[in-house]
Amino acid sequence: MGFNERENAFIEWYPRGYGVGFKVKERLFETRTEYQKLELYETEGFGKLLVLDGTVQLVEIGEESYHEPLVHPVMLAHPDPRRVLIIGGGDGGTLREVLKHRTVEKAVMVEIDGAVIDVSRRYLKIDRGAFEDPRAELVVGDGVEYIKKAGERFDVIIVDSTDPVGPAKMLFSEAFYKNVFNALNERGLMITQAGSVYLFTSELLDAYREMSKAFDRVYYFSFPVIGYASPWSFLVGAKGDVDFTKIDLKRAGELELKYYDPQRHETLFQMPKYVREMLEP
Ligand code: AG3
């Protein structure tokens, strides 16, 4: 796991010996924050690479292939998303995409590791000014605790966390999803990344089941993400009268998108047959 001297590459190993690697031009730094190991590289072909505890979080060139499908489908399916909560997402990519929506009055981002925000602000800059947007509120704290005590409600809640193993495990539990449900307005959507479709299938099934206990409806979709063992899976929980299979194409037209194609929203729901059959037996 990690930097490979012989190959001069950073490699993330998934289960069963499946690897994803990037050739490295420069090792920018490696540090231990209060919560995790953080590494930053300059890659040969994909700009900067951010790694947390040995897992690829993003590559600068292509990060939109993760942030666009995480943010826009739920934002466009919700009829009027004004207040948005992001849990995790310290690099600012998710916040940046959320703030592209003119309906948004306030976006709160709760990131447990302040060091991720600092490093991203200084070296990555993929927030492209989002951290300074007057609609953004940054909280350095534990999202699990935050959501329990949240005095306000949100239209959309986005969980941009690390994988369903290790410190983020709580973010994939029924208890957490129930708190998310309660923190949503009468009509609301939540979305979470749920790992590699092929390599974390059982984690995906577990998360789907936990989520089904808390929400009125649960949807799943997959998207090919640059830097991850693709396809990647996403789970959406709906509260009240909101249909995730339908989006507002008028609002979609105002966004500049490269990966998620609102005109083809229905193609999101494509899944390998065996996974669909496992999810809906
Ligand atoms: N959030 C983490 C995605 C999980 C990646 N997992 C992996 N490589 N095993 C991404 C943060 C970007 N805002």
Side-chain angles (χ1 to χ4, degrees):
M1 198 68 143
F3 186 72
N4 181 308
E5 301 272 354
R6 194 163 46 86
E7 295 285 348
N8 200 33
F10 175 86
I11 302 171
E12 174 179 353
W13 290 109
Y14 282 80
R16 294 155 61 199
Y18 192 113
V20 172
F22 290 93
K23 286 279 189 187
V24 165
K25 217 181 335 186
E26 199 188 337
R27 298 174 75 168
L28 295 171
F29 61 83
E30 189 180 318
T31 172
R32 216 158 250 299
T33 75
E34 204 182 327
Y35 295 94
Q36 54 206 340
K37 183 175 164 192
L38 185 159
E39 293 160 83
L40 196 69
Y41 298 92
E42 187 68 45
T43 66
E44 277 187 12
F46 290 84
K48 293 192 176 57
L49 160 66
L50 174 68
V51 178
L52 294 178
D53 277 345
T55 65
V56 171
Q57 299 301 298
L58 61 89
V59 278
E60 209 178 347
I61 301 177
E63 46 86 5
E64 298 91 341
S65 65
Y66 171 81
H67 291 118
E68 288 186 10
L70 180 69
V71 171
H72 301 302
V74 282
M75 292 296 286
L76 294 171
H78 192 286
D80 189 23
R82 291 163 191 247
R83 305 164 72 79
V84 179
L85 173 66
I86 300 163
I87 294 182
D91 52 79
T94 298
L95 182 66
R96 176 196 75 213
E97 295 300 318
V98 165
L99 293 172
K100 281 187 182 172
H101 292 258
R102 286 193 301 164
T103 54
V104 173
E105 290 163 0
K106 184 176 172 187
V108 182
M109 182 185 108
V110 184
E111 163 64 54
I112 197 164
D113 194 344
V116 177
I117 303 179
D118 292 344
V119 166
S120 303
R121 209 181 220 146
R122 233 178 293 162
Y123 302 96
L124 267 177
K125 301 186 172 69
I126 65 156
D127 68 292
R128 297 182 209 148
F131 288 145
E132 270 68 55
D133 191 296
R135 295 172 294 163
E137 186 184 316
L138 306 188
V139 179
V140 175
D142 183 350
V144 173
E145 291 306 313
Y146 184 92
I147 201 122
K148 269 191 219 160
K149 303 189 191 104
E152 55 182 320
R153 295 205 168 185
F154 299 91
D155 303 304
V156 171
I157 298 179
I158 300 173
V159 182
D160 181 11
S161 68
T162 49
D163 292 342
V165 285
K169 186 124 189 66
M170 252 312 282
L171 299 178
F172 296 86
S173 67
E174 180 189 353
F176 172 71
Y177 293 136
K178 288 218 157 113
N179 291 328
V180 170
F181 186 86
N182 292 332
L184 283 169
N185 277 320
E186 236 155 88
R187 223 169 16 176
L189 286 172
M190 86 86 77
I191 183 165
T192 181
Q193 69 96 357
S196 163
V197 172
Y198 290 133
L199 298 160
F200 298 147
T201 315
S202 65
E203 286 83 353
L204 165 63
L205 296 178
D206 288 347
Y208 179 81
R209 275 191 214 105
E210 295 300 288
M211 219 168 170
S212 305
K213 295 177 198 162
F215 285 89
D216 293 331
R217 275 172 315 288
V218 181
Y219 305 84
Y220 52 85
F221 68 88
S222 68
F223 206 86
V225 174
I226 297 170
Y228 303 170
S230 291
W232 209 251
S233 61
F234 297 85
L235 290 168
V236 175
K239 175 173 178 179
D241 169 31
V242 41
D243 181 355
F244 181 65
T245 64
K246 306 236 162 41
I247 56 155
D248 184 346
L249 280 174
K250 231 181 23 250
R251 277 189 285 137
E254 298 166 3
L255 307 164
E256 257 176 60
L257 302 174
K258 182 169 178 188
Y259 296 92
Y260 166 57
D261 185 355
Q263 304 275 356
R264 298 283 180 276
H265 183 73
E266 71 282 359
T267 61
L268 280 185
F269 302 99
Q270 197 281 331
M271 268 279 179
K273 181 166 173 281
Y274 84 94
V275 179
R276 179 177 61 75
E277 287 170 352
M278 286 170 100
L279 286 164
E280 291 172 1

